[in-house]
Amino acid sequence: RSIVVNGVCVSSSLYKRDGRSLTTEVFGVESVVEDFARVYSPHKVFALDLALTPYGLKIIEPTLFNAAGFYACDVHKIAGALE
């Protein structure tokens, strides 16, 4: 899950890998998330879920920010971007 604020990927977190929950922030997906956000942004602030497929990273779903869990995203970065 990535949190996007005004087209910028503020923080990202894995959800599960190999069926196990993970609690670490993810780095390195920012440019991919921001490319997707340039194509489709349902709101100024939203969550974007991606999955790694045999064809590369694919959008699973955009989610309203107020309905999204943050998993291991950095909530301090998110709060700072919202200010």
Side-chain angles (χ1 to χ4, degrees):
R1 170 154 297 162
S2 296
I3 305 299
V4 180
V5 179
N6 294 321
V8 176
C9 179
V10 177
S11 183
S12 296
S13 171
L14 291 174
Y15 172 59
K16 286 186 178 183
R17 180 182 290 157
D18 300 324
R20 290 185 287 184
S21 294
L22 298 171
T23 57
T24 57
E25 190 175 12
V26 176
F27 301 98
V29 298
E30 295 86 0
S31 64
V32 173
V33 170
E34 291 170 5
D35 287 346
F36 283 134
R38 276 191 286 283
V39 174
Y40 178 72
S41 287
H43 198 271
K44 290 180 179 181
V45 180
F46 65 99
L48 185 64
D49 292 342
L50 304 174
L52 184 58
T53 74
Y55 306 102
L57 284 172
K58 299 294 180 185
I59 295 174
I60 300 300
E61 70 176 333
T63 304
L64 295 174
F65 178 76
N66 60 346
F70 298 127
Y71 304 127
C73 287
D74 186 328
V75 294
H76 296 289
K77 287 182 188 175
I78 297 168
L82 294 172
E83 286 185 322

